[in-house]
């Protein structure tokens, strides 16, 4: 199927504009000054509505569904999420009056789980990996004749996430490099596809925790593969991929380079955001920031944008990081 993603992304940007926030593009003097003639900006999706970029894809999907099938207000929708996508779908479902059931893996972050329940979510826990929860949600949606909203394996969701790149070009058309955290690939797929249409010379870097790098290994193998994931601070990007995901080919064809990040460097990046910018970011954001911090010379002389994808961090993890990494 030939999908014109740049057009879908522009349509998504217009569709979701009344429902989301245009997030700041924060200039980081600290990160910029570490390498000569480099300008580093942080796109603060960690300050987006619901605390992550996911609300863009969620609103775009539900709004598009309502345009084509208003009956979803009766039948409802199903989704699966490690947390942030569930929060985003819950927000969109409330605003648009669409019933929602959320599936999560059994080990979902307790803070995100508690918040979902507090906000009135109908929650189903299934499996030990995000893919198991996704497959169960998709199967149950089909069984009950409802629509499944994927966290990443959906062109409409990808287009919603791609609206970030439209905002970047509006403020920084001369951008040279964009660093993006990667899990299922919905975020980087939309961003990379639009960037390569508008300014092909801009390089897109996929950033993954070394402990869970399924998309990177899949791109290397030229097919979606299974690889065991290990515990990581970046729980929002952890786990496997649906075998048929639309994001795989987009990542393979439009991401220029990949950077793997150690857990220690993820934590240091999160701590830097607290100390230097007074911002709380989650582990997935620490992946892209950490990728820059461990490869700064690569970006010398460039205008760099780092995607800070989310800020939903539990207090216990924050306390552990501050205790270990705060400046003396």
């Amino acid at each position: 199927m030939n999908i014109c993603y740049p057009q879908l992304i522009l349509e998504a940007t217009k569709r979701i504009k009344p429902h989301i926030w245009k997030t700041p593009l924060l200039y980081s003097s600290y990160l910029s000054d570490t390498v000569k003639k480099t300008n580093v900006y942080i796109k603060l999706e960690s300050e987006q509505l619901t605390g992550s970029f996911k609300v863009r894809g969620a609103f775009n999907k539900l709004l598009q569904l309502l345009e084509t099938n208003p009956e979803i207000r009766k039948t409802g929708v199903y989704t699966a999420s490690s947390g942030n996508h569930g929060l985003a779908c819950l927000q969109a479902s409330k605003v648009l009056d669409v019933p929602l059931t959320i599936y999560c893996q059994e080990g979902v972050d307790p803070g995100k789980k508690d918040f979902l329940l507090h906000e009135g979510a109908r929650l189903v826990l299934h499996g030990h990996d995000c893919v198991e929860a996704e497959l169960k949600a998709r199967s149950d949606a089909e069984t009950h004749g409802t629509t499944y909203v994927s966290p990443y394996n959906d062109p409409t969701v990808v287009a919603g996430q791609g609206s970030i790149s439209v905002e970047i070009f509006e403020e920084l058309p001369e951008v040279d490099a964009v660093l993006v955290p990667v899990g299922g690939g919905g975020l980087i797929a939309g961003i990379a596809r639009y960037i390569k249409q508008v300014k092909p010379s801009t390089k897109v870097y996929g950033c993954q925790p070394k402990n869970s790098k399924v998309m990177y290994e899949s791109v290397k193998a030229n097919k979606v593969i299974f690889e065991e994931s290990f515990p990581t601070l970046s729980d929002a990007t952890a786990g496997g991929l649906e075998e048929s995901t639309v994001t795989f080919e987009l990542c393979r064809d439009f991401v220029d380079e990949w950077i793997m990040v150690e857990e220690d460097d993820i934590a240091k990046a999160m701590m830097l955001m607290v100390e230097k910018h007074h911002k709380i970011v989650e582990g997935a954001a620490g992946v892209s920031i950490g990728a820059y911090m461990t490869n700064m010379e690569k970006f010398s002389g460039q205008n760099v944008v780092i995607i800070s994808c989310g800020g939903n961090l539990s207090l216990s993890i924050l306390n552990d990081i501050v205790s270990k990494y705060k400046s003396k």
Side-chain angles (χ1 to χ4, degrees), residues 226-246:
F226 169 80
E227 182 184 83
E228 184 180 1
S229 291
F230 298 96
T232 174
L233 284 167
S234 182
D235 63 291
T237 67
L241 303 169
E242 284 191 293
E243 191 171 351
S244 62
T245 180
V246 299

Side-chain angles (χ1 to χ4, degrees), residues 13-68:
T13 303
K14 182 178 179 180
R15 182 183 288 124
I16 68 179
K17 187 176 181 179
H19 301 286
I20 67 159
W21 296 335
K22 182 177 181 179
T23 53
L25 192 62
L26 173 71
Y27 177 74
S28 175
S29 58
Y30 180 80
L31 291 176
S32 299
D33 292 346
T34 53
V35 182
K36 189 176 181 181
K37 295 182 179 179
T38 302
N39 296 304
V40 180
Y41 300 82
I42 303 172
K43 180 63 169 168
L44 291 176
E45 284 297 294
S46 44
E47 298 188 3
Q48 180 57 265
L49 191 66
T50 74
S52 88
F53 73 94
K54 291 284 192 178
V55 76
R56 296 174 181 268
F59 264 110
N60 196 44
K61 181 62 177 180
L62 265 63
L63 286 165
Q64 187 268 341
L65 283 171
L66 285 169
E67 290 170 8
T68 57

Side-chain angles (χ1 to χ4, degrees), residues 1 18 25 32 35 38 55 72-73 131 134 146 152 168 173 183 192 208 214 227 235 240 249 272 292 315 323:
M1 180 169 55
L25 192 62
S32 299
V35 182
T38 302
V55 76
I72 67 165
R73 282 204 170 101
V131 172
E134 290 163 17
T146 62
Y152 58 89
I168 291 172
Q208 290 204 283
V214 180
E227 182 184 83
D235 63 291
E249 290 186 0
L272 175 138
Y292 175 81
L315 286 177
S323 298

Side-chain angles (χ1 to χ4, degrees), residues 177-215:
V178 180
L179 285 76
V180 188
V182 180
L187 176 61
I188 198 170
I191 288 175
R193 184 64 189 89
Y194 189 79
I195 283 176
K196 291 304 179 182
Q197 177 76 16
V198 175
K199 191 184 175 192
S201 61
T202 299
K203 295 191 73 172
V204 180
Y205 294 82
C207 310
Q208 290 204 283
K210 193 171 182 180
N211 280 4
S212 185
K213 50 186 173 58
V214 180
M215 182 63 82

Side-chain angles (χ1 to χ4, degrees), residues 81-83 103-113 124-130 132-133 231-232 235-236 238 317:
S81 171
S82 63
Y103 286 66
C104 297
Q105 70 267 31
E106 293 176 5
V108 66
D109 178 81
K112 294 175 182 177
K113 173 186 170 183
V124 177
L125 300 181
H126 179 83
H128 301 288
D129 186 278
C130 59
E132 293 180 56
T232 174
D235 63 291
I317 294 176

